[in-house]
Amino acid sequence: MGITIQHSGVKQLLESHFGQFEPELISKLAEHCVIRDFEADQQLMRPGQYFKSTMLIVEGGVKIYREDQDGNEFFMYQLGAGDACALSMICATRKEQSQISAKAIEPSKALLVPIALMDELMTGYKTWYYFVLETYRSRFEELLEVVDNIAFKSMDERIEFYLKNQRKLSHSDELALTHQQIATDMNSSREVVSRLLKKMEQRGMVRLGRNTITVLF
């Protein structure tokens, strides 16, 4: 389990990752938020869960998945520091059960914002209102990209897009990824992913290592 703690550095974290928030909003959140630490591979959300808070990611990375009735996962999008999950905001505000699962891909920290504050934040702080709208817009565009990839692109094009996105999110050309992780995120098989990655390596697009992939394009 992650550790939920009151933290004297909440205000500093907010100022570092959410500098667009007005000072009064930062003070309000610092007063009511707590920090929760998550270990790598730990679940932050699961289907059927009710939310008592929504989360702002301040460190690490989180992947959002949709699960079917058999527990098979479909990768939707990834969150990094400075992001929030639009779907958790909607479920928390409407007091609905989660339809998604979320998993930390590395040691991560999140600020928990109580749902009791949501109405006050939306009506009382313009920067929060615009942050929520931008969060909805960004996640919607990411979901459209997922649909476009599935509907209109070949598997090798999808892997290329996936690696570009992972490089952007991690701010590094060297990605700590296994072939199985990519296959899971892309709802494919490890054998297919490995074969296509090998072809990309032969074309000079990537360099494959032990549980690492270096993006060269």
Side-chain angles (χ1 to χ4, degrees), residues 21-49:
F21 290 169
E22 60 225 79
E24 295 81 7
L25 173 58
I26 288 178
S27 297
K28 182 76 172 181
L29 292 172
E31 180 183 354
H32 294 280
C33 289
V34 294
I35 296 176
R36 184 166 181 181
D37 295 317
F38 295 92
E39 300 174 359
D41 294 325
Q42 184 177 346
Q43 275 200 315
L44 286 72
M45 314 174 203
R46 56 180 53 86
Q49 173 184 347

Side-chain angles (χ1 to χ4, degrees), residues 92-154:
T93 303
R94 301 180 65 177
K95 299 181 181 179
E96 295 179 345
Q97 289 179 311
S98 171
Q99 301 297 316
I100 59 171
S101 64
K103 186 183 298 182
I105 59 174
E106 57 186 320
S108 303
K109 292 182 185 292
L111 291 176
L112 307 187
V113 183
I115 59 172
L117 281 182
M118 294 295 284
D119 287 344
E120 180 183 350
L121 296 179
M122 287 294 288
T123 58
Y125 300 93
K126 283 188 176 181
T127 54
W128 178 265
Y129 174 80
Y130 289 121
F131 172 73
V132 171
L133 291 183
E134 177 61 21
T135 296
Y136 290 162
R137 185 197 65 80
S138 297
R139 300 294 87 82
F140 180 71
E141 288 185 352
E142 288 174 308
L143 289 175
L144 285 180
E145 288 181 344
V146 170
V147 172
D148 286 346
N149 270 282
I150 294 172
F152 306 119
K153 293 186 178 180
S154 62

Side-chain angles (χ1 to χ4, degrees), residues 152-168:
F152 306 119
K153 293 186 178 180
S154 62
M155 191 63 184
D156 55 345
E157 289 176 318
R158 290 176 59 195
I159 291 178
E160 183 177 339
F161 174 83
Y162 175 89
L163 293 176
K164 284 181 178 179
N165 196 42
Q166 291 298 307
R167 177 175 62 183
K168 178 181 177 181

